[in-house]
Amino acid sequence: MAKFELKLPKMGESVAEATITNWVKNVGDTVEQDETVVEVATDKVDSEVPTEVSGKIIEILFQKDDVVQVGQTIAIIETEGSDDVTETVTATTQEDAPVEKVENTVKQAQEAVSSADFGSSDKFFSPLVKNIAKEEGISIDELEKINGTGKDGRITKTDILDYVKNRGSQPAVTTPQSVATPVSSVVPATKAAPVSVNGQDEIIEMDRMRKMIAHHMVQSVQTSAHVQSFIEVDVTNIVNWRNKVKNTFEKREGEKLTFTPIFMEAVAKALKDFPMMNISVEGDHIIKRRNINLGMAAALPNGNLIVPVIKNADQLNLVGMAKAVNDLADRARKGKLKPDDTQGGTYTVTNVGTFGSVFGTPIINQPQVGILALGAIRKVPAVIETPEGDFIGIRQKMFLSHSYDHRVVDGSLGGQFVQRVAQYLESFDPNRDV
């Protein structure tokens, strides 16, 4: 019998830890390869951790609500079969272990590590898949291109063996890895739950996500010196153009064309014009972000909020932007977002007009320095200037509300940025092809 260490996998750039929210399997339960063992949560996204092997769970090292670092062992699974099954070495190397055996183990580990650097990939590969790739000389670039049939597109043993066709896999090299021992934490004094005075009020405890949102919002207000600029925009040309092309667009692309990608496109252009809005603050340092990654605040069915990110938004055309917006919004509603989908944002846009709000004063998504709220589009009477004189007409208008961090963004920059967004929207070509 072999013992396999189930570790918390890498779940995305800058994600260093996760909280265990639910053990789907318990000690003594049998599990199949790629079956979910535990559910974890990062700052905003819930994920499932599957096992890479079949066997029986003999030990669970962390309990519900424990915080686990990426790479730490969270459970031990006993597997059947010979040493050909991927097996990790426990950290309880006894002092009286033969020196020769330890030296051989270290040598094998060095050979395995030197063959490939799979840690450079954002994708999760099981130890078995990585060992087969090393033995077959498959590079990390090749491995990332293999279509996985496992859960969430993960590459299984069958997938990689099919890739190398009739070439047989050789015995895997074991790598010594340590079994993490959970650090006991001091249990904080629990606060007494509020009590209904009249016996009729309902006391509802915040769920995990609502607690994190509350913490982030308070932290942002305490961190940034929030100030706002507002500007009214005439979007009549955009409304008329969208009404004209939306049916054709949906038939051709299989996607609905909303106003959001049009606004996102204008924001991305304005950020290129004003790169000092595309920054973040760390202590006394300003970090000028090279990539323009737009966060898109989305309301969830349970009333909570999440901010998926459109990466390199300035490089997308309108069709690409529409597809990215629809995909993230759909997966957010279904709870299918991955940790990477909410990481790396450099500026955020929130559409308060969805609920009929004319404008708002949004709170900055730290460590960014700005957030733009899109108000509801309304038909309003407006003065229209012509060579023949001014007259009153009905126009489609909306407000843009720009919140920015006065620590590093003064009123001049904050005002010019939102003005530039308005200029891009008002100069929208009504004859544009899509």
Side-chain angles (χ1 to χ4, degrees):
M1 305 291 271
K3 293 182 179 180
F4 175 82
E5 297 177 4
L6 178 63
K7 298 180 180 294
L8 182 67
K10 183 177 179 181
M11 294 181 292
E13 183 182 358
S14 78
V15 177
E17 63 183 24
T19 302
I20 292 178
T21 56
N22 180 45
W23 281 100
V24 179
K25 299 292 184 178
N26 297 308
V27 173
D29 290 348
T30 57
V31 292
E32 299 295 328
Q33 184 177 4
D34 285 334
E35 187 176 4
T36 298
V37 175
V38 63
E39 296 173 348
V40 299
T42 59
D43 279 352
K44 289 185 178 178
V45 178
D46 296 339
S47 301
E48 297 176 342
V49 178
T51 172
E52 301 93 38
V53 298
S54 299
K56 184 170 80 170
I57 298 176
I58 60 174
E59 187 176 1
I60 288 177
L61 301 178
F62 290 90
Q63 302 304 315
K64 182 180 178 181
D65 295 329
D66 284 347
V67 177
V68 185
Q69 301 297 313
V70 169
Q72 280 190 296
T73 302
I74 55 178
I76 306 295
I77 300 175
E78 188 176 63
T79 63
E80 296 182 356
S82 64
D83 291 339
D84 288 342
V85 178
T86 303
E87 180 182 355
T88 57
V89 181
T90 63
T92 56
T93 303
Q94 298 180 1
E95 294 181 1
D96 58 350
V99 175
E100 182 179 355
K101 181 178 180 181
V102 174
E103 290 177 346
N104 289 337
T105 303
V106 173
K107 183 178 179 181
Q108 290 175 339
Q110 291 173 338
E111 292 174 352
V113 171
S114 63
S115 62
D117 180 18
F118 294 98
S120 62
S121 174
D122 286 337
K123 288 190 174 182
F124 171 76
F125 303 113
S126 71
L128 180 57
V129 168
K130 288 189 284 189
N131 278 320
I132 294 175
K134 292 172 185 176
E135 293 294 335
E136 298 296 339
I138 298 174
S139 68
I140 183 65
D141 291 335
E142 288 182 274
L143 195 59
E144 287 183 330
K145 294 177 182 177
I146 297 176
N147 292 324
T149 60
K151 185 174 181 60
D152 293 330
R154 291 188 177 95
I155 298 173
T156 65
K157 176 182 177 182
T158 303
D159 295 330
I160 193 169
L161 291 180
D162 288 343
Y163 180 76
V164 297
K165 296 182 179 179
N166 297 323
R167 295 164 57 192
S169 62
Q170 298 180 8
V173 178
T174 61
T175 304
Q177 298 173 344
S178 60
V179 174
T181 302
V183 179
S184 59
S185 56
V186 178
V187 179
T190 57
K191 295 182 180 180
V195 179
S196 173
V197 177
N198 57 18
Q200 297 177 352
D201 298 331
E202 182 182 4
I203 308 299
I204 302 174
E205 183 179 358
M206 292 184 187
D207 60 22
R208 182 190 59 82
M209 181 175 283
R210 176 48 56 186
K211 289 177 183 177
M212 288 192 295
I213 292 173
H215 172 74
H216 291 325
M217 295 300 97
V218 172
Q219 181 190 44
S220 181
V221 172
Q222 292 175 342
T223 300
S224 296
H226 281 66
V227 66
Q228 285 83 26
S229 293
F230 306 93
I231 192 167
E232 191 175 26
V233 188
D234 189 330
V235 291
T236 304
N237 286 342
I238 292 176
V239 173
N240 293 339
W241 177 82
R242 176 182 171 273
N243 289 337
K244 181 176 65 175
V245 304
K246 63 181 182 180
N247 292 333
T248 302
F249 183 90
E250 185 172 1
K251 289 179 182 178
R252 190 187 74 190
E253 302 294 339
E255 301 276 351
K256 289 186 180 297
L257 180 62
T258 65
F259 289 109
T260 302
I262 302 173
F263 298 143
M264 288 293 199
E265 182 184 55
V267 172
K269 288 180 180 179
L271 286 172
K272 291 193 74 172
D273 296 340
F274 296 95
M276 288 306 292
M277 283 303 312
N278 196 54
I279 64 174
S280 61
V281 180
E282 288 190 11
D284 294 329
H285 297 87
I286 295 174
I287 301 175
K288 193 175 179 181
R289 300 297 183 183
R290 182 175 180 180
N291 297 330
I292 295 177
N293 300 332
L294 292 182
M296 183 183 70
L300 299 177
N302 62 3
N304 286 326
L305 181 72
I306 197 166
V307 187
V309 177
I310 302 173
K311 306 292 175 61
N312 299 309
D314 58 313
Q315 300 178 18
L316 298 176
N317 60 16
L318 190 56
V319 174
M321 189 74 78
K323 290 181 179 292
V325 166
N326 291 343
D327 172 59
L328 289 174
D330 181 64
R331 288 195 286 123
R333 285 190 295 267
K334 295 178 179 178
K336 299 294 185 180
L337 289 175
K338 299 177 181 178
D340 257 353
D341 293 327
T342 61
Q343 301 295 324
T346 61
Y347 188 88
T348 299
V349 178
T350 178
N351 190 355
V352 299
T354 302
F355 310 106
S357 296
V358 178
F359 53 79
T361 56
I363 297 175
I364 296 168
N365 189 12
Q366 297 295 326
Q368 300 166 23
V369 299
I371 179 171
L372 186 70
L374 308 172
I377 299 175
R378 303 168 301 136
K379 288 183 179 181
V380 297
V383 176
I384 301 174
E385 298 178 352
T386 70
E388 292 76 22
D390 299 343
F391 65 93
I392 301 295
I394 302 301
R395 305 294 290 178
Q396 302 270 7
K397 290 197 172 188
M398 66 181 293
F399 280 98
L400 302 179
S401 309
H402 186 211
S403 291
Y404 46 96
D405 189 345
H406 213 333
R407 292 180 303 164
V408 290
V409 180
D410 292 327
S412 174
L413 175 58
Q416 288 182 74
F417 171 78
V418 70
Q419 183 184 50
R420 184 61 54 86
V421 175
Q423 290 170 349
Y424 279 127
L425 294 176
E426 290 189 336
S427 62
F428 188 89
D429 182 4
N431 299 313
R432 175 178 178 174
D433 293 329
V434 64

